[in-house]
Amino acid sequence: MAMNQCHQTLPPFEELVDLAQKDPEAFAQFKRDMCEEMIQSASEKMQQRLWAQQSHIDLVVSKCKNPDHTNVILMKELSEQMVKFRDALDGELEPQTPAKVIPFVSRSGTWS
């Protein structure tokens, strides 16, 4: 399982602000490209989890009203994750049990 090294360099902050203001679509594409490159550089084992996390972040951000709201909400998300991490390190997390899968069965025996 070879990992691709990722050596990302961000443009200066002022350039990013300018891009976000003048061409929001290009800025959004830049962010997606950077995230994809970073996730692709992770081990195959971690990529699925990282894609899921990125999807969650995108969903959370899509519900925010403005950049300040986004920062507050993402900080809240990060804080919650850090508490879970701390609890896991301290052995205070209860082990998760697998979900019980209940198959769908039609009442008549057929699905037509």
Side-chain angles (χ1 to χ4, degrees), residues 78-91 93:
L78 179 60
S79 296
E80 289 172 3
Q81 292 298 320
M82 292 303 294
V83 167
K84 289 180 184 178
F85 183 60
R86 183 200 64 215
D87 289 347
L89 288 175
D90 291 342
L93 256 188

Side-chain angles (χ1 to χ4, degrees), residues 1-5 40-48:
M1 246 190 276
M3 289 191 304
N4 301 326
Q5 288 292 328
Q40 294 293 338
S41 74
S43 69
E44 289 181 31
K45 183 177 179 181
M46 284 301 298
Q47 286 183 19
Q48 184 176 0

Side-chain angles (χ1 to χ4, degrees), residues 20-101:
Q21 290 172 342
K22 292 181 178 175
D23 192 349
E25 273 303 312
F27 181 73
Q29 185 62 49
F30 174 77
K31 287 193 313 183
R32 283 190 297 272
D33 292 346
M34 292 293 281
C35 290
E36 181 174 346
E37 182 181 335
M38 185 61 71
I39 291 170
Q40 294 293 338
S41 74
S43 69
E44 289 181 31
K45 183 177 179 181
M46 284 301 298
Q47 286 183 19
Q48 184 176 0
R49 294 179 75 181
L50 291 171
W51 282 120
Q53 185 66 43
Q54 186 60 47
S55 177
H56 175 73
I57 290 168
D58 291 342
L59 179 63
V60 167
V61 168
S62 74
K63 296 177 182 181
C64 294
K65 298 173 178 70
N66 58 53
D68 291 329
H69 185 222
T70 300
N71 284 334
V72 169
I73 295 301
L74 288 177
M75 186 62 196
K76 180 178 176 249
E77 288 280 324
L78 179 60
S79 296
E80 289 172 3
Q81 292 298 320
M82 292 303 294
V83 167
K84 289 180 184 178
F85 183 60
R86 183 200 64 215
D87 289 347
L89 288 175
D90 291 342
E92 296 176 15
L93 256 188
E94 294 182 25
Q96 295 181 351
T97 56
K100 181 179 179 183
V101 177

Side-chain angles (χ1 to χ4, degrees), residues 92-111:
E92 296 176 15
L93 256 188
E94 294 182 25
Q96 295 181 351
T97 56
K100 181 179 179 183
V101 177
I102 303 172
F104 287 108
V105 178
S106 76
R107 292 182 183 174
S108 65
T110 63
W111 287 102

